Amino acid sequence: MIAHVETCVAVHDEIGQPQPLVVLRFGPAGAPRYWLILEVRADAQLADVDKLLRQLWLECCGHMSAFRVGRRELPKTIATGIAFAHPGSKVDYEYDFGSTTALVGELLGKRQGSIGRAPVRLLARNEPLVWPCGECGAPATLVCPFCIDSDDGVFCDAHAEAHEHADEEVYLPVVNSPRMGVCGYTG
Ligand SMILES: [Zn+2]
Ligand SMILES: [Zn+2]
Ligand SMILES: [Zn+2]
């Protein structure tokens, strides 16, 4: 996918003055099946990247977030091209300091191009993952947030109804996000 994106992306450029761009990959540490590839104007702020990450993957109730390199927090006003300056540059990202979703952003490349008026655009993302129901193996539709860390925290509609936490009315939908089943995230 990354190779495809690198060759085809310029075809989708908008008309306009070419500007320095950075291509970033974001994904949760330790869960490689979730990923986003973003293209960002080098002068766009990390705040713009934060906004898109929230929109695509994270936003449930306006939690705080932070970009960090090691233990140093980067100001969200910093230019993305400075935060991701060198080949292989990595920046950690956290959304919600309680029930945290932790991501790692990595610089894949730089190019000159025009992406239109928005400072950030999504180039590609993982296909929705199929989670088998813990009881019957059919594609799951619901997550039990109490049981998500166990082996069978996802269920088809019928088995969600039969599950021990059905009466708690806490189920969340299966969604294409590493924040699935966390806090009130519904996609
Ligand atoms: Zn929340
Ligand atoms: Zn089932
Ligand atoms: Zn449960």
Side-chain angles (χ1 to χ4, degrees):
M1 178 48 88
I2 289 168
H4 169 76
V5 164
E6 280 171 355
T7 53
C8 92
V9 68
V11 175
H12 303 288
D13 271 7
E14 307 287 326
I15 294 162
Q17 192 67 32
Q19 294 172 306
L21 304 172
V22 292
V23 183
L24 306 179
R25 179 194 192 280
F26 275 89
R33 294 198 296 161
Y34 287 113
W35 50 268
L36 301 172
I37 299 177
L38 309 180
E39 195 162 51
V40 186
R41 284 208 320 252
D43 65 355
Q45 298 183 358
L46 286 182
D48 296 312
V49 177
D50 180 49
K51 201 171 155 192
L52 191 66
L53 292 173
R54 287 169 181 263
Q55 190 188 322
L56 294 169
W57 259 3
L58 302 169
E59 189 65 272
C60 50
C61 24
H63 299 282
M64 305 234 282
S65 62
F67 292 89
R68 290 196 185 87
V69 173
R71 294 165 77 174
R72 187 169 57 95
E73 183 170 351
L74 303 178
K76 288 214 181 79
T77 50
I78 198 175
T80 305
I82 290 176
F84 293 89
H86 310 292
S89 282
K90 284 188 181 172
V91 175
D92 296 322
Y93 173 88
E94 285 185 354
Y95 175 79
D96 181 1
F97 305 148
S99 304
T100 305
T101 301
L103 308 177
V104 182
E106 186 181 354
L107 178 68
L108 295 182
K110 302 181 185 188
R111 70 179 188 95
Q112 295 281 324
S114 177
I115 61 174
R117 256 188 302 176
V120 185
R121 70 174 173 182
L122 173 67
L123 292 183
R125 66 190 299 176
N126 64 280
E127 293 286 334
L129 307 182
V130 177
W131 299 93
C133 169
E135 296 292 332
C136 71
T141 52
L142 294 166
V143 183
C144 176
F146 296 153
C147 301
I148 186 169
D149 292 327
S150 75
D151 283 343
D152 50 356
V154 294
F155 303 98
C156 68
D157 287 353
H159 285 115
E161 215 169 299
H163 177 61
E164 59 176 324
H165 297 125
D167 294 339
E168 314 265 351
E169 300 188 347
V170 291
Y171 293 155
L172 291 165
V174 168
V175 289
N176 186 9
S177 159
R179 199 161 173 78
M180 179 178 84
V182 180
C183 195
Y185 189 72
T186 55

